[in-house]
Amino acid sequence: MPFKSGFVAIVGRPNAGKSTLVNTLVGQKVSIVSPKPQTTRNRVQGILNREDAQIVLIDTPGIHKPETALNRMMVDELENTLDGLDVLSLIVDASASFGAGDRFALEWIRRFTGPAFLLLNKIDRVAKPLLLPLIDRYRKEFDFAEVYPISALTGAGCFDLVSGWIARLSEGDPYFPADQFTDQPERFLAAEIIREKAILATHEEVPHALCVLVDDFEEGQGIVRMRATIYVEREGQKGILIGKGGATLKKIGTQARRELESILGTKLFLESFVKVQPNWRQNPAMVRQLDWRRQLEQLADLQGPSESV
Ligand code: GDP
Ligand code: MG
């Protein structure tokens, strides 16, 4: 059988399960997950390698209206996703009721002219008879090429889904080496894992006010030395993040280190700091620092076109 390869994007409103699905299919954490909406800020590519195919899965920030500089970057990330895509997949939480967010997501996918799949997620939490009316409801709104009930958490229905995607891909070589599972630089993934642990350790407004920048990432013999700063917007948030006697920050650091050691396959020496940067989400310069893809492009521009031999 000829090898197939291509790009599949997962879009949907915040909390539908986009990142969970990508992680489950890749078999590695490439995108952070939390019960709090709007965790994913950048477009993340996870690579699903099979003997007969390679699917580059694009996890996207949730579809919502742009408000801050940060939200605008997230919407731009979504727009850039449509280029060169083979299948667009709208994922919805089948256990939640249809709302304004779903309507907005449906409006959004009309921009794509190729095949769009509907994924009804979280079927581990939904009684089967409730699925058919939901499918009808969505089919009335949009002409989906295919519909898959799945559970991103348990993997139910995911095998069929992957076969459905592969059927729509073209013959072609893989885009990435077969042992690569994401296109993110390791230091960015590391910052994301720290952010995930910080989100899980805090609540209310703190998770949204967090960002993590890596100040230093040095790879040595079997060890990575890393320094990271967690930014928040207010003094009170800083206090919450550090916790009594530094206990919360310590817990975040330990959890992040353990997970990163297993992902990177090395020992990790991690130092983390907390700083206040008022209103960073409104600050374009700060938001640009979170956008590693654009940073890499700018670096390439600075270096100019590669010399021909
Ligand atoms: P995203 O915002 O669309 O990327 O959603 P996430 O992947 O971060 O998931 C949001 C929440 O839904 C997390 O708490 C997940 O554990 C949960 N979740 C995702 N998929 C499933 C599923 O299939 N079943 C159940 N029960 N929970 C899920
Ligand atoms: Mg996500």
Side-chain angles (χ1 to χ4, degrees), residues 227-254:
R227 252 182 332 118
T229 305
I230 308 175
Y231 289 90
V232 285
E233 295 193 317
R234 290 207 303 266
E235 281 299 330
Q237 297 165 342
K238 179 175 169 180
I240 293 171
L241 203 62
I242 292 176
K244 256 207 188 96
T248 309
L249 184 61
K250 192 167 171 206
K251 188 173 95 185
I252 294 167
T254 306

Side-chain angles (χ1 to χ4, degrees), residues 12-21 23 31-40 59-60 62 91 93 95 121-125 150-155:
R13 59 190 267 195
N15 238 27
K18 298 176 290 296
S19 301
T20 305
L21 179 62
N23 292 338
S31 194
I32 65 173
V33 168
S34 91
K36 291 135 194 162
Q38 292 181 34
T39 308
T40 308
D59 180 17
T60 59
I91 184 168
D93 180 347
S95 70
N121 189 32
K122 309 197 187 183
I123 56 163
D124 54 295
R125 289 216 298 224
I150 61 163
S151 169
L153 205 59
T154 67

